[in-house]
Amino acid sequence: MKYNLKPDERATLELRGLYEKYGYKKYKISKFEEYSLYATNRDFFTGDKVLTFTDLDGRLLAMKPDVTLSVINNTGATRDKSEKLYYIENVYRENRESHCFKEINQMGLEYMGRIDKYSILEVMTLAAKSLKTIDPDYLLEISHMHYTVDFLDQLGLEEGLYGELLNNIRQKNMTGIEQIAAAAGLDEERASVLRQIPFLYGPMKETIKKARAMAVNDKMLADLKELGEYCDALRSLGYSRNIQLDLSMVNDIDYYNGIIFRGYIRNLPGCVLAGGQYDKAMGLFGKDAGAVGFAIYLDELTKGETEVSRYDVDSLLLYDEGEPIAAVLKAVQGLQKEGMSVRAETEAPACLRYRYKYRLRDGMTVKEDE
């Protein structure tokens, strides 16, 4: 039987199987967390508002605005004990358009504990596989955020200018970048590199070559060497057509480090997948472990064009009230074996849309012409 699954429902079913093949286990956590967890880590998740309530014991609790923070808070992963898990959870965040809280469905994957280059490649590969499962026409953008950070660190900027410059780079705001370069008194060589960073995106090989020519210190070259290893591996695995680099992509430097990435699907308006390394976040929670993972915004998958079925059911089976009920059920099951969904009624319901109409007569299923 063919089920008319919504895009997010189909993705959830298929991705569970994919993740479990790689040894990830389903993880279930409480809908609630102590409010203090999110109040002190607002930069880690999108938005700054949290839905709270007072529990019966007087504690201030929050409806989860983010799953990864809860996973970090509750994990037992260490450098010697890794955890591989995936989750399907709802989070509660402010809808900036309606200014109301919205329940958002997320699916995610986390690899925590002893993280090496293979671990990171596995997660990036699963991000690409996840996007391909949703739609073969996808794009995965990858960045090594240290490349840009290692350049900015040697500029000697004040903290306020540093943060403002990072935001302008993320937004590719050239006017803001030029103003900060002038205010900081940068020489032309460093100002030139700064102006080029927002445009460091494109195919893997060409972008790394361009970034290497711009590197002004050994740390930046080391970052590109590490990124190049991942790019070579991804090319050898057949992912080059759907992957490009964007070295202007930099997440919050207090929580994230190293490789980060975002995923897009054609005809969908926004980012549907985001992830990367967050060893720093683990450290802030006192966890002696590395971590890498991603989240898929399942609600985004329903924003594209979806086929609307003309029918509520494939077949309508009409039967008389005197028919033996076992005979009615056998007739329903007979139609189901032919791959159809079936609704059995004594008379046709108003406004029910169906492809075919059948009638049960003396134990025989007879197709009727409309």
Side-chain angles (χ1 to χ4, degrees):
M1 182 184 296
K2 180 180 178 182
Y3 295 97
N4 294 319
L5 296 176
K6 294 180 180 179
D8 56 331
E9 294 170 335
R10 181 179 62 81
T12 299
L13 289 173
E14 295 183 11
L15 293 177
R16 288 185 65 172
L18 171 64
Y19 301 156
E20 290 180 3
K21 285 181 181 178
Y22 281 79
Y24 292 81
K25 302 299 183 183
K26 191 169 187 298
Y27 188 76
K28 182 68 178 176
I29 56 180
S30 170
K31 291 182 181 292
F32 319 127
E33 282 280 6
E34 294 276 358
Y35 170 69
S36 58
L37 173 67
Y38 304 111
T40 56
N41 295 282
R42 291 181 183 274
D43 291 339
F44 192 83
F45 57 92
T46 304
D48 60 354
K49 292 183 172 58
V50 180
L51 185 60
T52 62
F53 66 96
T54 303
D55 201 3
L56 296 177
D57 60 4
R59 292 180 302 156
L60 185 61
L61 299 182
M63 303 288 284
K64 292 193 305 288
D66 180 86
V67 178
T68 301
L69 280 178
S70 294
V71 173
I72 295 173
N73 193 42
N74 292 285
T75 185
T78 66
R79 300 287 177 186
D80 300 319
K81 176 188 173 185
S82 294
E83 286 189 352
K84 299 174 70 174
L85 57 94
Y86 72 91
Y87 60 81
I88 307 166
E89 296 283 346
N90 291 331
V91 296
Y92 303 86
R93 295 179 181 169
E94 179 192 15
N95 185 320
R96 296 188 182 278
E97 296 176 359
S98 65
H99 300 291
C100 296
F101 280 99
K102 180 182 180 182
E103 186 176 38
I104 301 170
N105 191 221
Q106 277 190 3
M107 187 170 193
L109 175 148
E110 313 288 353
Y111 194 143
M112 315 172 88
R114 183 179 178 274
I115 302 300
D116 57 14
K117 289 182 180 179
Y118 170 76
S119 313
I120 295 166
L121 177 63
E122 179 180 284
V123 172
M124 280 196 289
T125 302
L126 285 171
K129 284 180 175 288
S130 298
L131 292 168
K132 186 176 181 180
T133 297
I134 296 166
D135 191 324
D137 195 2
Y138 70 89
L139 175 67
L140 182 65
E141 287 187 336
I142 300 172
S143 176
H144 195 313
M145 57 183 279
H146 287 174
Y147 177 85
T148 296
V149 171
D150 285 337
F151 172 70
L152 297 185
D153 283 347
Q154 55 92 50
L155 297 181
L157 299 176
E158 297 176 2
E159 184 176 346
L161 281 180
Y162 188 101
E164 187 179 346
L165 182 55
L166 269 178
N167 286 331
N168 284 322
I169 290 173
R170 293 178 185 124
Q171 298 166 12
K172 303 185 189 297
N173 180 355
M174 294 310 299
T175 300
I177 290 171
E178 292 281 9
Q179 290 174 346
I180 292 174
L186 299 185
D187 58 49
E188 180 53 33
E189 180 184 3
R190 293 186 294 175
S192 176
V193 172
L194 189 56
R195 286 193 291 266
Q196 294 179 71
I197 285 177
F199 302 100
L200 274 178
Y201 58 86
M204 292 185 283
K205 188 174 182 179
E206 291 87 336
T207 305
I208 286 183
K209 182 179 179 181
K210 184 178 178 182
R212 188 177 291 116
M214 291 169 48
V216 297
N217 57 49
D218 291 340
K219 286 184 177 180
M220 296 172 72
L221 290 172
D223 299 333
L224 291 175
K225 181 180 179 181
E226 182 181 0
L227 180 58
E229 289 182 50
Y230 294 123
C231 290
D232 290 342
L234 290 166
R235 270 195 299 268
S236 71
L237 294 167
Y239 292 103
S240 57
R241 189 179 74 86
N242 298 90
I243 292 179
Q244 72 175 25
L245 304 182
D246 183 354
L247 290 170
S248 70
M249 183 165 54
V250 182
N251 288 349
D252 190 288
I253 61 176
D254 291 328
Y255 293 89
Y256 298 92
N257 57 285
I259 298 296
I260 56 175
F261 45 85
R262 291 185 300 217
Y264 302 87
I265 299 295
R266 185 179 292 276
N267 297 326
L268 294 184
C271 168
V272 301
L273 179 151
Q277 295 176 252
Y278 53 95
D279 299 1
K280 286 188 175 182
M282 296 287 283
L284 289 174
F285 280 76
K287 308 287 184 176
D288 181 24
V292 58
F294 59 82
I296 300 171
Y297 308 116
L298 295 172
D299 287 7
E300 291 293 323
L301 306 186
T302 63
K303 293 182 180 179
E305 295 180 3
T306 56
E307 179 182 355
V308 179
S309 176
R310 294 174 53 197
Y311 303 102
D312 300 312
V313 69
D314 293 324
S315 301
L316 171 65
L317 175 67
L318 297 176
Y319 65 93
D320 295 329
E321 291 186 357
E323 289 284 351
I325 54 177
V328 178
L329 186 55
K330 286 179 181 179
V332 169
Q333 293 172 341
L335 293 172
Q336 289 173 341
K337 287 179 180 179
E338 296 180 21
M340 292 186 285
S341 56
V342 185
R343 183 160 168 174
E345 301 283 353
T346 55
E347 58 183 44
C351 301
L352 180 70
R353 300 171 302 169
Y354 50 87
R355 292 177 186 271
Y356 312 110
K357 182 166 70 172
Y358 294 85
R359 184 170 291 277
L360 184 62
R361 291 195 180 101
D362 299 323
M364 299 292 293
T365 302
V366 179
K367 185 177 181 181
E368 293 190 344
D369 296 328
E370 291 297 323

